[in-house]
Amino acid sequence: MSSGRIQFAEQEGTFVLKFVGEIRLTLCSALDATIEQIFTALNFSAIVIDLTETRSIDSTTLGLLAKLSILSRQKVGLLPTVVTTHPDITRLLQSMGFDQVFNIVDRPLPCPECLTDLPSQDQSEDVVRAKVLEAHRILMGLNESNREAFHDLVNALERS
């Protein structure tokens, strides 16, 4: 079982998601539900994703983060901020094209005590497969390298 968790806070219109540990597919349903929740808020002013305590992050989660950025730009015209202090995580984000859809900074955030863990969500295999497919399609749309990297996976998911 994954030792990761995602924490969430909202303060005065700023939504913060903090990824702690190993962030895997098992956390994606809760993340996707929280993304939907963010865009129903009326007092929306900023989104910050804190990866300062992230050890690893899978491609499905990266796809959902890309979805978050796309929705943020479409709905409120804001580019979300990603905070990363680990060179390997920063390189991964840049290789996926995240520097085009996020402001990437290396300053940790204040107020870690404001965050609470997202609740776990049980989803059917079909629902999870649909989320994985959506996330990877979004990643493929970011750049040609991602399109090549995830083409076979997306084709396999579409056939199943």
Side-chain angles (χ1 to χ4, degrees), residues 94-114:
Q94 290 170 337
S95 74
M96 290 287 159
F98 273 41
D99 50 342
Q100 300 166 32
V101 294
F102 286 96
N103 293 313
I104 299 177
V105 299
D106 60 2
R107 292 178 311 279
L109 297 174
C111 195
E113 68 278 0
C114 302

Side-chain angles (χ1 to χ4, degrees), residues 42-140:
L42 300 176
N43 61 339
F44 188 98
S45 64
I47 300 173
V48 178
I49 295 98
D50 183 342
L51 302 180
T52 59
E53 293 184 39
T54 305
R55 285 194 308 272
S56 63
I57 187 167
D58 71 4
S59 58
T60 301
T61 306
L62 291 171
L64 289 176
L65 288 178
K67 173 185 176 179
L68 173 71
S69 177
I70 291 165
L71 288 172
S72 178
R73 287 190 318 197
Q74 289 173 346
K75 294 183 182 258
V76 293
L78 293 173
L79 199 62
T81 297
V82 172
V83 182
T84 174
T85 55
H86 300 291
D88 52 338
I89 297 288
T90 303
R91 274 191 303 278
L92 173 63
L93 297 177
Q94 290 170 337
S95 74
M96 290 287 159
F98 273 41
D99 50 342
Q100 300 166 32
V101 294
F102 286 96
N103 293 313
I104 299 177
V105 299
D106 60 2
R107 292 178 311 279
L109 297 174
C111 195
E113 68 278 0
C114 302
L115 297 162
T116 59
D117 289 352
L118 292 184
S120 63
Q121 294 191 352
D122 291 327
Q123 299 285 326
S124 72
E125 187 176 322
D126 288 341
V127 169
V128 171
R129 185 181 308 109
K131 288 183 189 309
V132 171
L133 183 57
E134 175 193 25
H136 286 86
R137 283 181 176 152
I138 291 168
L139 283 177
M140 286 175 65

Side-chain angles (χ1 to χ4, degrees), residues 16-31:
V16 178
L17 288 163
K18 182 175 179 107
F19 292 55
V20 179
E22 296 177 9
I23 307 304
R24 300 278 179 237
L25 174 65
T26 54
L27 299 170
C28 286
S29 292
L31 175 59

